[in-house]
């Protein structure tokens, strides 16, 4: 794009940002940051959408067995009898623990082992009937998704990595906002999608429009993700602007803001409709990754692949500059072929 040499830097930023070298540098940062952490962001976003309804799903999948009908005179099985019942139900396993509640209306939790394998089942304290797994598969799946989302299945180390990933998401948001700005003449066009254009243009419009309209939400998730992993710098910032008053129990504005930042991250500050909206909006980062990956393929990988293919074909072909000499009949001169 040509530009008027008489333009000031501010005028070029407003009218022709594509001509600025710093904008091109920011584009490269945005591109390769997205390539580097894109799949990570997809995993975090999808698992985040899945666990928005964690409490409701836990209640749905939890094992709440019904104890057999009884009165005060009904005999409760002893621990040895419960062990025998469990051994009878699972003869290949050895009973390791029997957890009996003080209340007779509570199922008995029995843990069993077979080598490294383990079973945890609930049993009726009066009949010894097997009432199912203590932690059903659905609950284990939700726990696994929560652990994947919170700490990448890696404990404190995984949570630290998660915080660094949130920092990269902030970088993606900021650089994306800079790259998005097309200039004062065409910025409105970047708010929508030209559905009748070619797929490359449509893909670019999708990436640009989704990024603009979802910027605030994705940026909030990024910042709140940092806060949930590294809360101390945020607390220090609040202390700096609003020092604690001795003896005061009133919450500070900064404390309220941080509390809301955590609530906004999980979408649990309102009813089911808000949770459903948060779960749906969690699909936005994967959509941005998909459209960005298509642009990366079209702009970087596809040309590089074509160049490599041409280079390989030239190397495999006989040297086009090599000439051969054939004797012309009746002469001693050579003729170039």
């Amino acid at each position: 794009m040509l530009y008027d040499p008489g333009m000031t830097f501010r005028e070029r930023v407003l009218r022709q940002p594509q001509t600025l070298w710093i904008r091109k540098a920011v584009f490269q940062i945005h591109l390769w940051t997205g390539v580097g952490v894109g799949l990570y962001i997809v995993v975090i976003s999808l698992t985040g959408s899945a666990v928005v309804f964690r409490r409701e799903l836990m209640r749905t999948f939890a094992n709440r067995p019904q104890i057999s009908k009884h009165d005060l005179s009904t005999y409760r099985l002893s621990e040895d009898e419960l062990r025998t019942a469990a051994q009878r139900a699972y003869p290949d396993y050895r009973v390791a623990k029997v957890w009996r509640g003080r209340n007779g209306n509570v199922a008995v939790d029995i843990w069993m082992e077979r080598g490294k394998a383990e079973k945890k089942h609930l049993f009726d304290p009066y009949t010894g009937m097997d009432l199912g797994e203590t932690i059903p598969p659905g609950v284990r799946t939700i726990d696994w998704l929560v652990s994947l989302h919170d700490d990448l299945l890696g404990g404190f180390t995984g949570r630290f990595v998660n915080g660094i990933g949130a920092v990269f998401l902030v970088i993606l948001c900021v650089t994306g906002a800079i790259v998005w700005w097309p200039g004062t003449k065409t910025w409105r066009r970047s708010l929508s999608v030209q559905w009748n254009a070619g797929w490359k243009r449509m893909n670019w419009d999708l990436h640009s429009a989704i990024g603009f309209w979802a910027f605030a939400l994705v940026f909030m998730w990024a910042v709140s993700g940092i806060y949930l992993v590294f809360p101390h710098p945020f607390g220090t910032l609040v202390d700096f602007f609003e020092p604690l008053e001795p003896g005061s129990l009133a919450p500070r504005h900064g404390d309220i803001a941080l509390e809301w930042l955590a609530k906004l991250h999980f979408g649990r500050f309102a009813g089911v409709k808000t949770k459903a909206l948060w779960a749906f909006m969690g699909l936005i980062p994967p959509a941005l990754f998909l459209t960005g990956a298509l642009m990366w393929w079209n702009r970087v990988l596809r040309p590089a692949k074509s160049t490599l293919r041409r280079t390989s074909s030239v190397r495999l072909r006989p040297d086009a500059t090599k000439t051969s000499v054939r004797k012309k009949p009746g002469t001693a001169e050579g003729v170039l072929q």
Side-chain angles (χ1 to χ4, degrees):
M1 178 182 291
L2 298 177
Y3 64 92
D4 184 356
M7 279 188 183
T8 64
F9 177 79
R10 180 177 178 276
E11 289 173 333
R12 289 173 63 189
V13 168
L14 292 176
R15 296 168 57 185
Q16 295 182 346
Q18 296 85 351
T19 64
L20 296 169
W21 70 267
I22 191 169
R23 194 261 189 190
K24 297 176 182 177
V26 170
F27 174 81
Q28 293 298 319
I29 294 173
H30 182 77
L31 171 65
W32 293 107
T33 302
V35 170
V37 300
L39 288 177
Y40 157 81
I41 292 173
V42 168
V43 171
I44 292 299
S45 300
L46 294 179
T47 54
S49 291
V51 302
V52 167
F53 289 96
R54 177 179 62 182
R55 295 174 183 174
E56 291 82 357
L57 291 172
M58 284 291 193
R59 286 196 294 267
T60 300
F61 293 122
N63 186 2
R64 293 185 175 85
Q66 295 293 323
I67 305 302
S68 58
K69 293 182 179 180
H70 60 277
D71 53 30
L72 295 177
S73 63
T74 306
Y75 174 75
R76 291 179 63 187
L77 299 178
S78 66
E79 182 172 323
D80 288 338
E81 289 172 323
L82 288 168
R83 284 176 176 271
T84 301
Q87 199 74 54
R88 185 167 54 249
Y90 300 98
D92 295 337
Y93 283 78
R94 179 184 67 84
V95 176
K97 293 282 186 180
V98 177
W99 303 95
R100 302 180 67 188
R102 294 181 180 179
N103 188 342
N105 294 320
V106 178
V108 179
D109 191 4
I110 300 181
W111 295 3
M112 297 164 282
E113 298 174 348
R114 186 182 64 185
K116 293 183 179 180
E118 185 181 65
K119 276 187 181 295
K120 297 180 181 179
H121 275 240
L122 298 176
F123 287 81
D124 191 304
Y126 297 97
T127 65
M129 181 183 296
D130 183 6
L131 300 177
E133 292 185 86
T134 305
I135 305 176
V139 173
R140 291 200 300 270
T141 300
I142 299 301
D143 282 338
W144 184 84
L145 288 171
V146 170
S147 179
L148 178 59
H149 182 78
D150 289 351
D151 52 37
L152 303 175
L153 307 177
F156 289 109
T157 301
R159 180 157 295 202
F160 177 83
V161 173
N162 236 357
I164 301 301
V167 172
F168 278 111
L169 183 54
V170 168
I171 294 173
L172 271 175
C173 289
V174 174
T175 55
I178 294 172
V179 171
W180 173 87
W181 175 248
T184 53
K185 291 184 179 180
T186 59
W187 70 272
R188 288 181 180 84
R189 192 174 63 189
S190 298
L191 304 179
S192 58
V193 180
Q194 298 181 38
W195 298 105
N196 57 349
W199 76 267
K200 295 178 184 178
R201 178 66 196 187
M202 188 176 67
N203 184 71
W204 169 268
D205 286 349
L206 274 171
H207 190 82
S208 181
I210 293 173
F212 175 84
W213 293 110
F215 173 83
L217 186 62
V218 177
F219 187 73
M220 178 276 296
W221 277 328
V223 174
S224 58
I226 298 174
Y227 166 65
L228 292 171
V229 177
F230 307 117
H232 297 299
F234 290 82
T236 302
L237 193 63
V238 172
D239 291 338
F240 177 79
F241 287 105
E242 292 183 272
L244 281 170
E245 297 182 6
S248 176
L249 298 178
R252 298 171 295 179
H253 293 91
D255 295 327
I256 296 173
L258 292 180
E259 181 182 355
W260 268 100
L261 188 62
K263 289 180 178 179
L264 287 169
H265 184 90
F266 296 106
R268 299 181 188 141
F269 56 91
V272 175
K273 292 182 179 179
T274 301
K275 291 183 178 181
L277 177 63
W278 247 238
F280 175 75
M281 298 295 276
L283 302 177
I284 288 175
L288 289 171
F289 171 74
L290 178 61
T291 52
L294 286 174
M295 286 190 288
W296 179 52
W297 165 262
N298 186 54
R299 292 188 174 200
V300 179
L301 293 185
R302 192 173 180 181
K305 185 178 179 181
S306 299
T307 302
L308 182 62
R309 186 181 299 153
R310 287 196 301 268
T311 304
S312 300
S313 63
V314 169
R315 289 177 179 173
L316 292 174
R317 243 178 13 212
D319 191 353
T321 61
K322 186 177 180 180
T323 59
S324 60
V325 178
R326 179 173 57 87
K327 290 286 185 73
K328 187 175 181 179
T331 68
E333 296 180 2
V335 179
L336 291 179
Q337 294 211 131

